[in-house]
Amino acid sequence: MADAEPEVEESGDTAVTTEDAETTVDEKRVSAEAAASTETTDSESRSLLPGWVPWALLAAGLVVLVLGVQFWRSAEPDPDAARAERRDAVVVAATSNLETLQTMDYEKAEEHLAAWQEVSIGVLGDQFAELTAEDRQAIVDAQAKSTGRVLSLAVTELGERTATVIAAIETEVVTAADPDAEPVKKRNRFGADLVLVNGRWLVENLSQVGVNLK
């Protein structure tokens, strides 16, 4: 007995067998099941993520934001910090310069006079530069040694390149006539004007103020 031929459905110019139609239906069903399985797997994967992950990501973002703001602020120049730094530089320079100007050893007069000129400028510097031979000899003839020490110092005026200070200075004096005697101590207040020149604060004017602080 001959095998039955598959039924053929004709529609227009295209002919589809019953077996072909069943195969197509099966393939569509398999594809749909595979897609549903993939969606389920993705959903399960997402559900397996710890609940704290979104919060951790948010916290990390906030940290980056805070660090960025701090960096931006630190990059801005701080006028108060710059002024404080300039004031500190004036205090250090003025203290050193005033102690130099109140120190003299008659045996090293030229060396000390050179140091006086090194820390001064303007009117004060000109006075030291104009000292005559007689003036220098007078220092030697005095046969005295003095050492200056700043007890306290305050900046009363501060500009970009100028400053004014007031200082209490103690000076100890020893003479060659009585080298073993106790040094004579004198305390005085001085006002000084300083100028910033090539990165250095130099004394432009120096004057004694107030009364003797014995």
Side-chain angles (χ1 to χ4, degrees), residues 159-204:
E160 292 292 333
R161 305 188 66 83
T162 60
T164 299
V165 302
I166 187 169
I169 302 178
E170 180 181 80
T171 304
E172 293 187 355
V173 181
V174 177
T175 61
D178 193 1
D180 297 328
E182 286 292 323
V184 177
K185 295 183 179 181
K186 296 181 179 180
R187 293 184 178 182
N188 294 282
R189 290 199 305 171
F190 289 88
D193 297 325
L194 292 92
V195 179
L196 183 62
V197 180
N198 296 327
R200 297 178 61 210
W201 288 96
L202 305 177
V203 181
E204 185 176 37

Side-chain angles (χ1 to χ4, degrees), residues 42-57:
D42 292 342
S43 176
E44 290 176 351
S45 298
R46 287 193 297 270
S47 65
L48 291 176
L49 291 176
W52 53 264
V53 169
W55 294 104
L57 294 176

Side-chain angles (χ1 to χ4, degrees), residues 6-9 16-24:
E7 296 180 0
V8 177
E9 296 179 2
V16 179
T17 65
T18 303
E19 292 179 354
D20 291 339
E22 292 176 353
T23 299
T24 300

Side-chain angles (χ1 to χ4, degrees), residues 3 13 17 40 50 85 99 109 122 184-185 187:
D3 295 336
D13 296 334
T17 65
T40 301
E85 183 177 352
E99 288 181 345
V184 177
K185 295 183 179 181
R187 293 184 178 182

Side-chain angles (χ1 to χ4, degrees), residues 92-204:
V92 172
T95 299
S96 176
N97 293 350
L98 293 178
E99 288 181 345
T100 297
L101 293 173
Q102 294 298 309
T103 299
M104 171 57 69
D105 183 343
Y106 75 96
E107 295 180 326
K108 303 176 182 178
E110 292 299 326
E111 180 180 326
H112 283 282
L113 288 173
W116 288 5
Q117 288 185 272
E118 182 69 20
V119 299
S120 61
I121 197 172
V123 176
L124 187 62
D126 291 341
Q127 290 176 354
F128 295 147
E130 294 171 358
L131 287 175
T132 64
E134 289 77 11
D135 294 330
R136 295 170 185 271
Q137 188 59 45
I139 294 174
V140 175
D141 293 342
Q143 296 190 336
K145 296 181 180 181
S146 63
T147 303
R149 182 167 65 95
V150 173
L151 302 178
S152 62
L153 184 144
V155 179
T156 58
E157 295 181 18
L158 181 63
E160 292 292 333
R161 305 188 66 83
T162 60
T164 299
V165 302
I166 187 169
I169 302 178
E170 180 181 80
T171 304
E172 293 187 355
V173 181
V174 177
T175 61
D178 193 1
D180 297 328
E182 286 292 323
V184 177
K185 295 183 179 181
K186 296 181 179 180
R187 293 184 178 182
N188 294 282
R189 290 199 305 171
F190 289 88
D193 297 325
L194 292 92
V195 179
L196 183 62
V197 180
N198 296 327
R200 297 178 61 210
W201 288 96
L202 305 177
V203 181
E204 185 176 37

Side-chain angles (χ1 to χ4, degrees), residues 63-77:
V63 169
V64 172
L65 176 61
V66 170
L67 291 177
V69 171
Q70 291 179 344
F71 176 79
W72 175 73
R73 287 180 176 176
S74 64
E76 286 189 327

